[in-house]
Amino acid sequence: KEENKRLKQKYPDIKFVVLLLDTYRGKDSLVRKIQAADLPVFDGSALFWVRTKGENHSEYYAFDGHPKGKMFSVFVPDFVEEYGM
């Protein structure tokens, strides 16, 4: 919330969106807190898992669990459309 305020001072037209990239316990609670701060949340990981069900996820994640560039191609078009970027 504070970072959004700082950015808006410098860039008044900026669109600040919290992008979730992974799932974990407590995610719903975190999303509620972010939304309570009047910040939009885009859950890229949820969309990723729906769109890639049954696929080999090693193409999308490195051995350490870090997302590879290919992962973003799954949900970035939706992100761009939703936020008009």
Side-chain angles (χ1 to χ4, degrees):
K1 187 174 180 177
E2 293 303 314
E3 188 63 24
N4 185 36
K5 285 181 188 177
R6 282 192 287 272
L7 288 169
K8 289 240 182 237
Q9 288 174 350
K10 191 168 184 178
Y11 309 102
D13 297 328
I14 196 167
K15 292 182 181 181
F16 189 93
V17 179
V18 178
L19 173 63
L20 296 178
L21 293 178
D22 209 348
T23 58
Y24 59 91
R25 295 179 81 158
K27 179 176 107 176
D28 293 337
S29 174
L30 176 61
V31 168
R32 284 192 299 274
K33 287 178 185 177
I34 295 168
Q35 289 171 333
D38 292 324
L39 296 171
V41 179
F42 185 86
D43 193 347
S45 61
L47 189 55
F48 168 78
W49 290 106
V50 168
R51 294 250 172 95
T52 61
K53 188 175 182 176
E55 290 186 40
N56 179 354
H57 289 130
S58 65
E59 296 178 37
Y60 299 98
Y61 281 95
F63 68 92
D64 63 355
H66 191 80
K68 294 180 180 178
K70 185 174 180 178
M71 179 197 184
F72 295 92
S73 67
V74 174
F75 64 82
V76 165
D78 294 88
F79 179 85
V80 170
E81 183 178 329
E82 185 167 335
Y83 294 101
M85 298 180 175

